[in-house]
Amino acid sequence: MTSQEIRQQFLDFFKSKEHLIVPSAPIVLKDDPTLMFSNSGMTQFKDYFLGYKEPKSHRIADTQKCLRVSGKHNDLDDVGRDTYHHTMFEMLGNWSFGNYFKKEAIDWAWELLTEVYKIPKENLYVTIFEGDEKENLERDNEAYNFWKAHIAEDRIINGNKKDNFWEMGESGPCGPCSEIHVDLRTAEEKAEISGLELVNNDHPQVVEIWNLVFMQYNRKADGSLENLPAKHIDTGMGFERLCMALQQKSSNYDTDVFTPLIAKVEELSGKKYTGILEDEKDIAIRVVVDHIRAVSFAIADGQLPSNGGAGYVIRRILRRAISYSYRFLGMKEPFLFELVAVLKNQMGAFFPEIVKQEKLVTEVIKEEENSFLKTIEHGLVRLDHIIKETISKNEKVLHGAEVFELYDTYGFPADLSRIIAEEKQLTVDEKGFDEEMEKQKQRSKKSSAQKVYDWEVVAELLENFVGYDKTENEVKITRYRKVENKDGEFYQIVLNETPFYPEGGGQVGDKGTLENNEGTFDVLETKKENGLVISLIKDLPQNISGNFIAKVNISDRKNTQANHSVTHLLHEALREVLGTHVEQKGSFVGPNYLRFDFSHFSKMTEEELALVEEKVNAKIKENLPLQEYRDLAIAEATEKGAMMLFGEKYGDKVRMIQFGSSKELCGGTHVKSTGEIGHFKIMAESSTAAGIRRIEAISGDKATEYFKNLENQIKEVSTLLKSKDLVKSIEKLLEENTALKSEIDALKKEKAKGEIGDWKNAFVQKGDKQLLVKRTSLDAGSVKDLVFQLKKEIPNSVTIIISDAGEKPMITVGVSADLEATYHAGNIVKELAKEIQGGGGGNPGFATAGGKNLAGIENALEKAMEI
C-alpha cells in the first residue's frame, strides 16, 4: 500500500463516520502569539476547544502538516540520528467538538487499524492514564473498560502523567489520553523480550502511532484544573510511522514517503544510502530529506528564511541540511533546490500549495544555499586565522567565545569548527562555548519573558469587533488579566463591542483611549488571541464593571487604512505591469508608511516603478468607492474573482474588499473611497530574499508632508544659488568644480614631485635593507603613487608612510619585490593600525589602513621603526 493510498484510506474511513474532511492549515501561524508553527493536528482547532468559535461541523478529520523545531516540542537535534523523529511530519486526526467521546474514539481507532489497515492485533498495545494523586485525578477506568472489549487486559498499560495526560501548553484545554503502540519486531525478537517492556522506552521498533486525547479539563494559569463546558476528542496519528508499520519497514526513511527523495540525493551526490544509524553519510542523507520537506512547505505557506522569528527557524533548518551535505556528502555546490520537484510529485495531490509555489520555493532555497556556502567558505578563512593564532601561542584549545562568535555572528556551524580543530590536533573550549550560548539564551528569554495570569470575568456579554463601522463607542469590560514583562505590569482587557482593530494581516493594531469619570486610560496596543480582541492598558480602572467610552486614535487609523487600501491598488498594479506571477508575500501597514513584499525574480526598472506609481495614483484620482462584502461564502468570493493568498487560512465565510477591479479577501480597515488616500509615492524597491521584492511607500498625510519638505528644500537651494533655474545653476557649479579639481590635482602632483627627492634621501640603511618611515600631510592618492614609485626604484626597501591629511590617520606600506618573501605589507599594516584604532590589509607588496585616532600616529611611527 503506497503512502498516498494510506492517507486516502484514513480520510475515507472517517468520511464514512460522518466526519467533514478539511484541508491542512498552513504550517506557519501568523495570528497566534503563542506559537510560530503548527506543532500538532489540533492547532487550527484551538478556538473551537476554547469555545471562541463554532465549528463548521462537530465531527472533523484531516491530515495536518506539523513542524516541531522550537519550544517545548523540539525534535530537531534527534532528526537523522534515529528512524522516526522528524521536523515536519503529517498528523492524521479525527475530532469531536462536544459530540462523541471515549467509546467511539476507541472503537473507530481499533476498527481502522485492525480491519481496514489489517495490522495484526497481537502487534498492538494501548496505554491509559494511571491517575495522579497530586492533581486529584483518578485512573481512567472508563477508557480501560472500553479497551477491554477489543484487546487483552495484559496489553492495556498504565501510563503516567508525562505520557498519558495531554496538555496544549502551560494553560488551556487538556485531558487524559490513550496511546496506541505497535510492535514491528521479528517473531524471534518478540520471543526474547515482550513488547510490554518496550512501550514508551524509545525502542525504534516499538513505537507510538496514535494518540487519542480525551479533552475534558481546562488548565488555568495558577495550575488548577476545571471542567470544560463540553467534552471533546482530539486524536493524532503519525502518518510517517503508520506508513512504516503498514509497509513493514524498520525505519520511516525506508517508506515511500522518503525513498524518492533519498534516490534523488543518491543521484546528485554519488553517495549510496545504506540506512546505517551511526554512518555519518546516512545521517546526512536523512537530515537532508527530512529538512527539505519542512523548509519547502514553510516557504510555500508564506514563511521566507530570515534573521528573526519564524524565518530564522526555517533558515536554521535549511543551514543544518546544507552543513551536513557539505561535510558528509561532499556537496560544495547548491543541490537541495533540485529536491523540490520530487517533493511536488510526491505530495502535490494532497497539498496543492507545493505545486503552486514550486518556482518560488526552488529559487529561495537555491539562493539560501549559495549564500550559506559562501558563509562556510568565509568561516573557514576566519577559523583558519583563529587556529593559526592558537598554534602560534603554543596553545591546544580554541577559545569557546571565538567559536561561538563564528556560530552566532557568521552562522558557521559549531560542530564543523570542532571537526576542523580535531584535524589540527586541537580541541574547543566547550565550557566557554556553552557559557556564551547560555548568555545568548538568557538575553533572548529576558527580552521575551512574560507572565500571564488567568482571566477574571467581569460581565457575561457577547464580545464583538465593531471597528469597521465605529471609531468611538460606549463599552463595558467583559474580562481582564494581568501580564508582567520586562517593561513592567500591565492589564489586558476585552470589551463587549470594541472599536479597536487588532493587529493582523500586516496591519498594526489600534491605539487610543478608554474614558470614564475616573479619567482617561491609554490603550497601548490591540492584538488578537484565540479569537479574542485584546487591548493593553497600564492601569486597571477602579470601577471595572462601569461604562466606558472607547476612542480609537483617529489620525493613526486614518493614515493606516489609507496605507492598507493602497496596498490593494499596488498589488493589482504590480500584476498588470510585471505579470500575474506576482503574489503578495507579506506586508506591513502602519500610520507612517507601508511595506509590500511580492514574488518577482528581478529588480524592477525605473520605468516599471514609475508605471506602477502612475497606475495606483490614477485609481486614487478615480475616487473608487469601497465595496465591502461581509460574511461572504468562500465559494461566492472565488466566483467574484477575489485574490486569495497562499499561506492564509480562510473560513467558510470571508470578507471581500473591492475598489473597482481590485478584489481581495481582507480583514483590515479601509478608506470609504480611494480619493481619501490622497497620493501614493514609492520610496524604495529592494530584494528581501530570492524571488521576493519589497516596495516601501507612503500615502495620505505622509505623502503630503514629503512633497512639502521637497518644496521647502528647493526654495532653500534656490535662495543659496540665487537662481530660479536650478538645473542650469547646478550644471555651472559642476563645471567649475571639475575645473578646480583639475587644478588641485595638478598642484598635488607638483607638490609630490618636490617630496620624492627628499623621501629618497631619507631612507635609512638597516643591514643590507633600506627603510623609510615618514609622516606626511599628503592625500592618500598622492602617497600611493609615491610609495609605488619608491618600491620600484629603491631595491631591498620597506616604505612606511603615515598621513594625517584631512584629520584622519592613514598608514601606507610598500615592500619592494625582492623583499616580498621576507616582509608582508599586509601583516605590517595590520600591526600598525592598532595604534590608530583602525584596520586594513593588502598583499605582500602593498597595503593600507585607515583609523580614528590621530594621537596614535607617534606610537605608530615608533612601532614602525621597531618592526
Side-chain angles (χ1 to χ4, degrees), residues 41 99 114 190 360 452 577 595 625 826:
N99 189 262
T114 61
K190 290 173 185 174
L360 174 70
V452 180
V577 173
R595 190 173 65 225

Side-chain angles (χ1 to χ4, degrees), residues 762-778:
F763 272 91
V764 178
Q765 190 79 25
K766 293 279 188 179
D768 59 347
K769 303 174 190 69
Q770 300 281 328
L771 171 66
L772 172 64
V773 177
K774 191 163 185 64
R775 179 171 182 167
T776 183
S777 294
L778 286 176

Side-chain angles (χ1 to χ4, degrees), residues 295-462:
V295 169
S296 297
F297 276 104
I299 295 170
D301 280 344
Q303 182 55 66
L304 298 169
S306 66
N307 287 330
Y312 173 73
V313 176
I314 299 306
R315 177 167 279 167
R316 184 177 165 222
I317 297 170
L318 182 52
R319 287 183 168 187
R320 188 171 188 260
I322 298 167
S323 173
Y324 267 86
S325 59
Y326 182 94
R327 287 152 51 204
F328 304 116
L329 302 180
M331 301 302 285
K332 306 291 194 272
E333 298 293 328
F335 82 104
L336 295 174
F337 70 95
E338 296 191 54
L339 301 177
V340 177
V342 180
L343 192 62
K344 178 200 73 172
N345 294 335
Q346 278 183 273
M347 301 181 73
F350 285 90
F351 303 100
E353 60 270 28
I354 199 67
V355 179
K356 180 86 189 293
Q357 303 294 326
E358 180 188 6
K359 185 180 180 186
L360 174 70
V361 172
T362 303
E363 291 293 329
V364 170
I365 290 174
K366 185 178 181 181
E367 182 64 29
E368 285 287 317
E369 284 189 90
N370 271 315
S371 173
F372 188 53
L373 286 167
K374 286 176 189 168
T375 294
I376 288 178
E377 295 300 334
H378 293 153
L380 288 171
V381 172
R382 171 80 181 129
L383 181 62
D384 185 55
H385 175 71
I386 293 169
I387 286 171
K388 281 179 178 173
E389 278 199 342
T390 304
I391 292 171
S392 71
K393 295 173 187 172
N394 291 319
E395 294 176 1
K396 293 288 184 183
V397 182
L398 300 186
H399 289 226
E402 290 185 308
V403 175
F404 180 79
E405 184 191 22
L406 263 178
Y407 162 77
D408 189 46
T409 306
Y410 302 100
F412 191 77
D415 45 1
L416 186 52
S417 294
R418 292 183 184 101
I419 290 165
I420 294 168
E422 284 168 14
E423 289 170 359
K424 305 283 186 183
Q425 285 75 54
L426 302 171
T427 59
V428 172
D429 169 22
E430 297 292 349
K431 187 181 176 187
F433 180 88
D434 291 343
E435 283 172 358
E436 293 299 321
M437 179 69 84
E438 187 57 32
K439 283 180 196 172
Q440 186 207 52
K441 284 180 181 175
Q442 291 306 320
R443 284 194 298 269
S444 177
K445 272 185 187 175
K446 196 172 179 182
S447 65
S448 62
Q450 178 164 283
K451 183 177 181 182
V452 180
Y453 291 78
D454 280 319
W455 286 111
E456 300 289 340
V457 176
V458 180
E460 296 284 356
L461 295 170
L462 288 175

